[in-house]
């Protein structure tokens, strides 16, 4: 019975994938930069009627690729790819890409000591400009996930996007979030050293003396990037946006709390706020149980939340 059930489940997944592929199509494109090519994937509705809306999807932190997968985590979750396919089925085109230094864009990545947060912002803004210049598309929006939310805010304003969507974005400044994450987890002496280093980086000054136990976090080669990142407070950045904004947050996300979405909404009260019940950080409906959450990050059979797809597609379809 177990093998029969597994076969049926696999068959249903295969049929679902076949239906989805029939309703959407993919086109691989590259963005040329002075330091190398950045690889992207256009997800297109099966029939391009008129000039469909298009959205740039920006992945979260670390080596997360254009499909939402992280090589440091076993398996795949395909969250961003699934979101792109679902939006294409709603008639909305999307472009997702491997950030410089990630996946197929690995050669475009500078050394760690040369990387700055603004590199990611400028790349996203260049993609928006590319989409705005493409005669196939209508209004261009930006969708930023997790750390990609802050990148997206800045890029959307810089490039003049028609709308912005934040999914699981933080409201607090990155250094504030880091302090909260470290609170109570370090011995007193290391906690004191961590605060000394954080305070210096917030002022724009690198630190030469880093305790060995903190080198992974504050190694000299990553400090310039942290300084460039710490300059931006998402709640301040979103308040400055002049286009329509949607803020989306799942209430079983164990990485980013609903309080962060509420903080963004307080900063941008004319935005639309959508709290998705039962949705976790990678858009899947999973209870807030650590074991279930961990398993979800390696399970591509879990679909993305239809409530998320509806919230984003309904919002984007109103954008002019």
């Amino acid at each position: 019975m177990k093998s029969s059930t597994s076969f049926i489940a696999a068959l249903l997944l295969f049929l679902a994938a076949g239906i989805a592929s029939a309703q959407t199509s993919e086109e691989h494109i590259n963005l040329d930069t002075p330091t190398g090519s950045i690889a992207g994937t256009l997800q297109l509705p099966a029939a391009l009627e008129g000039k469909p809306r298009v959205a740039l999807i920006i992945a979260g932190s670390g080596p997360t690729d254009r499909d939402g997968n992280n090589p440091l985590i076993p398996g795949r979750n395909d969250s961003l790819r699934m979101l792109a396919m679902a939006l294409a089925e709603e008639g909305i085109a999307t472009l997702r890409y491997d950030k410089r230094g990630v996946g197929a864009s690995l050669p475009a990545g500078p050394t760690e000591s040369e990387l700055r947060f603004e590199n990611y912002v400028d790349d996203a803004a260049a993609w928006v400009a590319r989409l705005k210049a493409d005669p196939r598309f209508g209004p261009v929006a930006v969708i930023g996930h997790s750390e990609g939310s802050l990148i997206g805010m800045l890029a959307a304003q810089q490039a003049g996007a028609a709308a912005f969507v934040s999914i699981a974005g933080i409201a607090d400044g990155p250094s504030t979030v880091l302090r909260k994450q470290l609170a109570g987890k370090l011995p007193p002496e290391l906690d004191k050293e961590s605060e000394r280093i954080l305070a210096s980086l917030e002022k724009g000054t690198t630190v030469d003396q880093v305790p060995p136990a903190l080198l992974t976090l504050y190694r000299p080669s990553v400090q310039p990037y942290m300084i460039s990142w710490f300059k931006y407070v998402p709640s301040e950045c979103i308040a400055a946006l002049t286009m329509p904004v949607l803020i989306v947050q799942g209430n079983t996300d164990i990485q980013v709390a609903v309080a962060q979405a509420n903080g963004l909404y307080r900063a941008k009260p004319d935005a639309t706020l959508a709290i998705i019940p039962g949705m976790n950080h990678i858009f899947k409906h999973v209870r807030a149980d650590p074991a279930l959450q961990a398993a979800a990050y390696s399970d591509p059979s879990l679909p993305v939340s239809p409530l998320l797809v509806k919230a984003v597609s309904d919002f984007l379809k109103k954008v002019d």
Side-chain angles (χ1 to χ4, degrees):
M1 180 63 70
K2 182 177 180 181
S3 60
S4 174
T5 302
S6 300
F7 172 77
I8 293 172
L11 179 60
L12 289 174
L13 284 171
F14 174 79
L15 291 174
I19 292 170
S21 63
Q23 294 175 342
T24 73
S25 63
E26 289 187 349
E27 178 182 316
H28 296 288
I29 62 173
N30 293 312
L31 178 70
D32 293 327
T33 79
T35 58
S37 182
I38 298 177
T41 300
L42 270 171
Q43 198 80 40
L44 302 169
L48 289 177
E49 299 179 1
K51 290 191 173 185
R53 293 164 175 80
V54 62
L56 177 71
I57 299 177
I58 306 172
S61 61
T64 304
D65 67 17
R66 74 186 93 175
D67 291 338
N69 301 310
N70 187 322
L72 302 178
I73 300 174
R76 304 173 60 88
N77 66 73
D78 286 339
S79 55
L80 298 182
R81 180 173 182 271
M82 290 181 183
L83 176 61
M85 292 178 70
L87 290 175
E89 290 167 14
E90 292 292 326
I92 299 168
T94 59
L95 170 64
R96 62 192 192 274
Y97 65 100
D98 291 338
K99 290 181 296 183
R100 60 174 60 239
V102 175
S105 304
L106 184 63
T111 63
E112 186 173 73
S113 62
E114 296 174 329
L115 182 65
R116 300 294 183 271
F117 190 76
E118 290 83 3
N119 295 144
Y120 293 141
V121 175
D122 291 343
D123 290 341
W127 277 119
V128 172
R130 174 80 171 267
L131 291 173
K132 289 174 72 173
D134 193 319
R136 293 175 294 177
F137 302 123
V140 180
V142 174
I143 300 172
H145 175 235
S146 195
E147 184 188 65
S149 171
L150 176 55
I151 296 170
M153 292 175 199
L154 297 166
Q157 190 75 332
Q158 180 176 315
F164 172 68
V165 178
S166 169
I167 306 176
I170 62 172
D172 296 333
S175 58
T176 299
V177 172
L178 187 53
R179 277 193 179 89
K180 290 179 179 179
Q181 291 175 338
L182 293 173
K185 296 179 181 177
L186 296 174
E189 188 58 35
L190 280 181
D191 185 63
K192 182 179 178 181
E193 285 294 288
S194 178
E195 179 55 35
R196 174 183 67 84
I197 296 168
L198 267 178
S200 179
L201 297 177
E202 286 174 325
K203 294 175 183 177
T205 304
T206 57
V207 177
D208 294 328
Q209 299 299 319
V210 179
L214 297 176
L215 272 175
T216 299
L217 183 59
Y218 298 122
R219 57 193 178 278
S221 59
V222 81
Q223 289 183 28
Y225 176 82
M226 297 178 82
I227 288 172
S228 71
W229 183 31
F230 287 176
K231 292 187 297 185
Y232 302 101
V233 178
S235 59
E236 296 175 0
C237 295
I238 202 168
L241 295 184
T242 54
M243 72 282 294
V245 172
L246 170 65
I247 300 165
V248 186
Q249 179 64 49
N251 70 357
T252 58
D253 185 335
I254 61 175
Q255 291 184 243
V256 176
V258 171
Q260 295 294 327
N262 289 333
L264 290 175
Y265 185 55
R266 285 194 298 272
K268 185 69 173 173
D270 61 343
T272 300
L273 176 64
I275 305 299
I276 308 297
M279 188 181 80
N280 74 355
H281 194 66
I282 54 169
F283 319 154
K284 312 297 180 77
H285 282 285
V286 181
R287 297 199 307 274
D289 176 285
L292 294 176
Q293 292 277 347
Y297 278 69
S298 303
D299 187 356
S301 71
L302 293 175
V304 295
S305 167
L307 297 176
L308 168 68
V309 176
K310 178 173 172 52
V312 175
S313 61
D314 285 356
F315 172 76
L316 293 179
K317 286 175 182 177
K318 297 175 183 177
V319 173
D320 296 321

